[in-house]
Amino acid sequence: MAIHKLRGLQYLVAVVDHGGFNAAARHLGVAAPSVHRLVQALEAELGLPLIDRSAQPLKPTPNAAAYVERARALLDELRELDAGLRDQSHAPRGTLAIAAHGGVLQFVLAEALPRFHARYPEVRVELLDAGSSRDLARLGTDALLQFGWPPEQDAILRTLAETRWLIVATPAYWARHGVPAHPSDLARCPCALYKTPSGEVMRRWVFERGGERVDVGVDGWLVSDSRSALDAPLYGGHLAARINDLTAHPGLADGTLQPVLLDWHALNAPPLSLLVRRSLARQPRMRAWVDFLVETAERLTRQRLPAGLPPVPVSARPDWWRRRVAAASRRAVAAAGR
């Protein structure tokens, strides 16, 4: 099978998973025209359309749905085959210094790191809790993983996965406070309030459905910048919370958490982002790390719950993030003028 066809299959699956050509390109770290071109070449070779371009988000045509799933399985097998060959021939070795924020440490890396070690036993990982820092140079590490939008810096940025906000609480909590039928109902529910590293408390939750947009002010008795601190009263049935779906799987899978308002889209959910030092991007151990994280993110997105929801759209940066960037820019200009 020609290399270009394998790449075309990879791009096709990414378009289906991410609901559009531009979103697929961002996930793959390539130019959008390249994704368009190879998917079109694949369709021309097969003599039939594979993507329903009239749908939003994009989805496979009825005749192509099974083809896409077979292509996905084939790509998974090839990744495992390639990984095995790399292990046997020129296994990466050395040390990786990785920084990550609390949610990533808890919900992504805790399960993934043993699998990385089993695949690359010659690579030593030094893992640092990034705290409130978003600056790779200040952290002094080779890479940074976070849920969110890192500030502009001299590093390679890759979006590993988009996420969806879910409004969740225990069934007992909803029984006491009532299941919200509209986002505005959340104003009467005690909610867990997350504080960003820049000090912004997330009290405004914005939703869209069709042409309707609702901005809800929420409140609660607990504010924290620690997801684990907020999880204890959430799982104890004392608060509702807004959490991203890549971190919700344990509670949703066993029924401890019940999602609500699934017909609404909660705006500004943070993507899973990876920053890599440019000077290390081509080193075998870093390439192995990046490839492994891509696989891990794809695994997490495939097991999203609740099942059957539409593909996750690309999330826009929230207003508080734009204000923070503008303030940082003003400070930099003022410092340069001194």
Side-chain angles (χ1 to χ4, degrees):
M1 184 181 295
I3 291 294
H4 83 275
K5 183 162 186 178
L6 289 175
R7 186 67 55 81
L9 292 174
Q10 179 191 16
Y11 289 5
L12 172 67
V13 170
V15 170
V16 171
D17 286 348
H18 298 279
F21 287 95
N22 292 337
R26 281 189 291 269
H27 171 73
L28 294 165
V30 301
S34 298
V35 180
H36 277 278
R37 185 166 55 252
L38 276 186
V39 171
Q40 288 172 347
L42 192 58
E43 290 176 319
E45 179 180 329
L46 294 170
L48 73 165
L50 300 172
I51 298 294
D52 180 0
R53 290 164 173 81
S54 66
Q56 287 298 327
L58 299 185
K59 62 182 181 181
T61 59
N63 291 334
Y67 181 84
V68 170
E69 292 310 309
R70 290 288 299 274
R72 189 195 309 281
L74 174 62
L75 292 168
D76 286 343
E77 287 187 32
L78 285 172
R79 274 193 290 267
E80 290 298 322
L81 181 63
D82 290 347
L85 182 60
R86 285 195 299 267
D87 291 349
Q88 296 170 19
S89 58
H90 51 281
R93 54 178 48 85
T95 299
L96 283 171
I98 306 298
H101 292 108
V104 178
L105 291 170
Q106 182 178 355
F107 296 102
V108 179
L109 294 183
E111 181 274 335
L113 282 172
R115 290 189 290 106
F116 180 78
H117 173 67
R119 184 178 297 182
Y120 303 108
E122 298 298 317
V123 178
R124 177 186 178 92
V125 178
E126 295 181 357
L127 189 59
L128 171 72
D129 188 332
S132 62
S133 180
R134 298 293 193 267
D135 190 309
L136 192 57
R138 289 185 180 180
L139 287 165
T141 56
D142 303 332
L144 168 66
L145 270 166
Q146 72 165 96
F147 283 114
W149 303 268
E152 291 268 339
Q153 52 197 289
D154 184 23
I156 297 172
L157 171 62
R158 182 158 186 175
T159 299
L160 297 174
E162 298 290 343
T163 72
R164 173 187 283 111
W165 282 131
L166 293 175
I167 310 302
V168 296
T170 62
Y173 177 95
W174 294 131
R176 289 196 308 274
H177 295 277
V179 176
H182 188 272
S184 60
D185 295 337
L186 293 170
R188 59 175 170 73
C189 299
C191 295
L193 301 177
Y194 180 73
K195 179 186 286 188
T196 72
S198 60
E200 185 89 11
V201 178
M202 300 288 94
R203 300 180 186 274
R204 309 301 303 183
W205 295 358
V206 186
F207 299 81
E208 281 187 349
R209 184 179 66 180
E212 184 180 1
R213 183 183 176 108
V214 180
D215 186 330
V216 183
V218 297
D219 204 358
W221 52 267
L222 180 61
V223 177
S224 179
D225 62 356
S226 167
R227 170 64 188 275
S228 58
L230 296 172
D231 271 358
L234 168 64
Y235 279 84
H238 305 290
L239 292 169
R242 184 182 69 169
I243 62 177
N244 83 60
D245 61 347
L246 296 191
T247 68
H249 189 274
L252 296 182
D254 65 12
T256 305
L257 297 180
Q258 177 184 344
V260 298
L261 300 172
L262 293 176
D263 54 335
W264 288 84
H265 172 54
L267 302 185
N268 308 128
L272 177 58
S273 301
L274 170 66
L275 279 173
V276 174
R277 286 172 54 188
R278 293 186 186 278
S279 60
L280 301 179
R282 296 185 179 276
Q283 289 191 355
R285 63 181 180 273
M286 183 56 74
R287 291 202 305 268
W289 176 247
V290 172
D291 290 345
F292 177 79
L293 288 177
V294 169
E295 291 179 29
T296 299
E298 290 176 349
R299 179 181 290 107
L300 289 172
T301 57
R302 285 199 297 270
Q303 67 180 23
R304 290 181 195 272
L305 291 175
L309 296 179
V312 180
V314 176
S315 185
R317 290 164 172 77
D319 291 340
W320 64 262
W321 189 93
R322 299 178 188 279
R323 290 195 298 270
R324 185 183 70 191
V325 170
S329 177
R330 288 194 296 271
R331 288 194 298 268
V333 170
R338 293 192 187 114

